[in-house]
Amino acid sequence: MAEDKSDTNLELDPELETIYADMETMKERFAKLLLGEDMSGGGKGVSSALALSNAITNLAASAFGEISQLEPMSPDSRARWRKEIDWLLSVSDHIVEFVPSKQNTNGIVMEIMITRQRSDVRGNIPALKKLDGMLMECLDNFKDQNEFSYVSKDDVGSKSNKKREGDKWWLPTPKVPPNGLSELTRKWLHFQKGSANQVLKAAMAMNAHILTEMEIPESYIDALPKNGRASLGDTIYKNITVDHFDPDNFLAAMDLSSEHKILDLKNRIEASVVIWRRKMTNKDGKSGWGSGVSIEKREQFEDRAETILLILKHRYPGISQSALDVSKIENNRDVGHAVLESYSRVLESLAHKVMSRIEDVMHADNLARNPSGDLKRNSLKDSASRASGKFPSAKEDLEKLNYANAPPTSMTLSDFIGWSLEQEKDSKGELSNGNETAKLAKQSSAANSKKLSYIERLETLGGRSPSTRQ
């Protein structure tokens, strides 16, 4: 009887029950990954890389959802995200490469090859975890604020705020005081937006870099038109090959009224860039540009196309993936690339959602202070100015993300109030508490004479902290 009682106590132990439940859940997750999402076992599943990518994407969607309002994650959702993302990322611990090493055996030094975690995974996973933590901290900072709240879409009091640009009717509407937010809270919101923007740019740059590393699938290449002009169409082709090219004028002539049209333009331009590069690499004499166009001109047109892609990427960060990106992800067989791409992509999406919710509150505040005014967000002019011209190197900036002990880049409203009182005599426009972000923002913006590619520009912007925090 005593033995039975002991067994009963073990079965009722909450800690053991949690451990057993986690083990069963983990086995279920990895069983699905091994089956390639084909539960029938018939061998019709996707590759391990794609299955892992889908698992990370689905986990983020279920744990975070839409992020309908600015508030900390619930403890259950946070615990689930931390636990299960660590399970999925644990696969990267076994992605290794051979590196030379020396071994001393009885006084004899021999050169041998040992395994070490692959360099790209070893360098990027900690940086992505750092960005993950920054996003969680940014959401946590909204737990103490009490100046704005949310009302449901059916609430009568929310009708006055239905003017907000690109309103998503299913989201709750921010409600601010009749005279708007206080000046201190307004500056604090700008600070939080800057923190989320830093995460967005870094995740965006990392995701673009990983996608560039992936090979272009043959199926995508086989479906391409014969030349770049056929891909672009006559109108886009003429606008991109004019003597005096201006990105603002080009985009002003395009119809960007819907996400479908923006995505279509991006698909056309990406396809044309792939075609031109292949023709120049393969020295194909049947180029659609004609024999009278020099290689320098072709490179110039390609650079213009990459500039447009850069502007579209930063002008519309929440847009769906292009056909080229989808094709690369679906046909990728590199598990390391799959982990890095999917993790950076979900962080990019989450950072964009947080920024959008902050902008919703700012828009409501703007309407309360100036009912006849309108809050303009994500102006194309600002994006174009960031995309054009030369960019400084930002390798040191990106390396800052790897330091786990770096000071936080965001603060609660209470912290901000205390900090603001101490810093009220400082120069206007700097909203920093002396951390690494402030140091990066003050770095020189001297132009780099070297011509930068699309991915290099993205990486540079990703590494830089926001310059507008006032």
Side-chain angles (χ1 to χ4, degrees):
M1 294 297 292
E3 183 177 344
D4 294 338
K5 184 177 180 180
S6 176
D7 293 340
T8 303
N9 291 335
L10 286 175
E11 292 177 0
L12 297 178
D13 190 338
E15 185 176 352
L16 287 177
E17 287 185 358
T18 302
I19 294 175
Y20 289 140
D22 287 347
M23 290 176 60
E24 292 300 320
T25 304
M26 184 186 298
K27 286 192 290 184
E28 180 184 354
R29 294 284 189 276
F30 283 97
K32 290 181 179 179
L33 292 178
L34 290 172
L35 290 171
E37 300 176 357
D38 177 20
M39 308 307 291
S40 68
K44 298 180 180 180
V46 299
S47 66
S48 299
L50 182 56
L52 187 57
S53 176
N54 291 340
I56 294 176
T57 303
N58 295 335
L59 172 60
S62 60
F64 290 92
E66 182 66 28
I67 306 185
S68 58
Q69 58 189 48
L70 296 171
E71 62 181 2
M73 288 183 67
S74 66
D76 291 341
S77 297
R78 177 192 290 268
R80 182 192 170 203
W81 165 254
R82 290 295 187 206
K83 179 172 57 181
E84 296 192 19
I85 193 64
D86 284 343
W87 291 350
L88 297 175
L89 294 179
S90 66
V91 175
S92 64
D93 295 338
H94 305 278
I95 300 175
V96 298
E97 60 186 353
F98 283 103
V99 294
S101 181
K102 293 183 178 180
Q103 176 178 296
N104 191 331
T105 305
N106 297 326
I108 301 176
V109 178
M110 302 177 59
E111 290 190 356
I112 61 173
M113 299 296 290
I114 62 173
T115 59
R116 184 182 65 184
Q117 189 178 26
R118 208 170 73 185
S119 57
D120 60 334
V121 177
R122 187 178 69 255
N124 288 326
I125 291 294
L128 288 171
K129 287 185 176 181
K130 179 68 175 179
L131 296 177
D132 190 344
M134 290 169 64
L135 265 184
M136 297 299 100
E137 183 183 1
C138 184
L139 289 174
D140 287 344
N141 289 336
F142 287 94
K143 64 183 178 182
D144 293 330
Q145 75 78 27
N146 54 10
E147 284 203 37
F148 64 87
S149 57
Y150 290 88
V151 292
S152 66
K153 62 184 179 61
D154 299 324
D155 194 292
V156 177
S158 66
K159 292 183 179 179
S160 59
N161 285 335
K162 283 300 179 180
K163 298 179 182 178
R164 65 180 182 180
E165 181 182 349
D167 178 57
K168 295 184 178 181
W169 56 267
W170 61 88
L171 295 176
T173 305
K175 182 180 180 181
V176 300
N179 296 327
L181 301 172
S182 65
E183 185 65 22
L184 188 62
T185 300
R186 195 175 300 121
K187 289 183 178 181
W188 176 74
L189 279 176
H190 277 282
F191 184 89
Q192 300 303 329
K193 181 182 176 182
S195 298
N197 192 27
Q198 182 182 4
V199 176
L200 173 64
K201 287 184 176 182
M204 185 185 299
M206 196 173 297
N207 184 259
H209 177 73
I210 298 302
L211 285 171
T212 303
E213 293 293 316
M214 294 182 182
E215 295 184 1
I216 301 176
E218 289 296 329
S219 58
Y220 178 84
I221 296 175
D222 294 341
L224 290 175
K226 294 182 179 180
N227 54 60
R229 182 167 188 167
S231 173
L232 291 173
D234 291 337
T235 301
I236 302 177
Y237 169 77
K238 291 178 181 178
N239 289 337
I240 210 170
T241 57
V242 294
D243 293 335
H244 303 287
F245 176 77
D246 182 79
D248 284 330
N249 294 336
F250 175 86
L251 290 172
M254 299 293 106
D255 184 1
L256 304 177
S257 58
S258 66
E259 179 178 342
H260 173 74
K261 293 178 180 179
I262 297 170
L263 192 59
D264 179 67
L265 175 62
K266 185 177 180 181
N267 287 334
R268 288 174 178 271
I269 294 178
E270 282 189 339
S272 64
V273 170
V274 173
I275 294 171
W276 301 336
R277 285 178 179 172
R278 285 179 59 82
K279 286 183 177 293
M280 286 188 289
T281 302
N282 299 333
K283 298 181 180 180
D284 190 349
K286 300 179 180 180
S287 173
W289 295 102
S291 58
V293 180
S294 64
I295 295 179
E296 289 75 14
K297 276 289 185 182
R298 295 181 185 180
E299 291 180 347
Q300 182 186 47
F301 297 150
E302 180 186 335
D303 183 65
R304 291 175 177 179
E306 290 181 338
T307 299
I308 296 299
L309 289 175
L310 177 69
I311 296 174
L312 291 176
K313 181 72 173 177
H314 286 268
R315 174 65 176 85
Y316 306 100
I319 198 172
S320 304
Q321 291 175 304
S322 65
L324 177 58
D325 293 344
V326 171
S327 180
K328 284 184 175 182
I329 293 172
E330 290 180 347
N331 291 274
N332 171 54
R333 295 296 182 269
D334 189 314
V335 176
H337 285 164
V339 172
L340 296 175
E341 189 283 325
S342 55
Y343 195 14
S344 61
R345 171 163 42 84
V346 298
L347 292 179
E348 176 185 337
S349 176
L350 294 173
H352 175 256
K353 290 178 180 178
V354 171
M355 283 189 63
S356 297
R357 301 295 85 80
I358 295 176
E359 289 173 350
D360 289 344
V361 176
M362 290 179 171
H363 186 73
D365 173 59
N366 184 76
L367 289 178
R369 290 184 294 112
N370 184 15
S372 60
D374 187 20
L375 180 61
K376 295 181 180 179
R377 299 178 296 183
N378 298 329
S379 65
L380 181 60
K381 184 176 181 180
D382 291 342
S383 298
S385 65
R386 292 195 301 266
S388 60
K390 305 299 180 181
F391 292 83
S393 174
K395 293 182 179 179
E396 294 182 358
D397 295 7
L398 285 175
E399 290 175 357
K400 298 290 185 181
L401 297 174
N402 291 319
Y403 290 95
N405 295 325
T409 57
S410 59
M411 59 177 71
T412 64
L413 185 55
S414 299
D415 295 337
F416 188 86
I417 291 174
W419 169 85
S420 179
L421 293 176
E422 295 175 358
Q423 301 291 335
E424 60 183 358
K425 294 183 180 180
D426 288 356
S427 59
K428 294 183 179 180
E430 285 292 332
L431 292 181
S432 172
N433 60 346
N435 55 23
E436 296 296 331
T437 303
K439 296 178 183 178
L440 298 181
K442 293 179 181 178
Q443 288 183 346
S444 170
S445 58
N448 187 350
S449 58
K450 180 182 177 182
K451 174 185 173 184
L452 298 179
S453 66
Y454 169 55
I455 179 59
E456 289 172 330
R457 293 175 181 176
L458 273 176
E459 289 177 340
T460 302
L461 288 177
R464 297 176 63 190
S465 57
S467 58
T468 54
R469 290 186 174 178
Q470 55 189 8

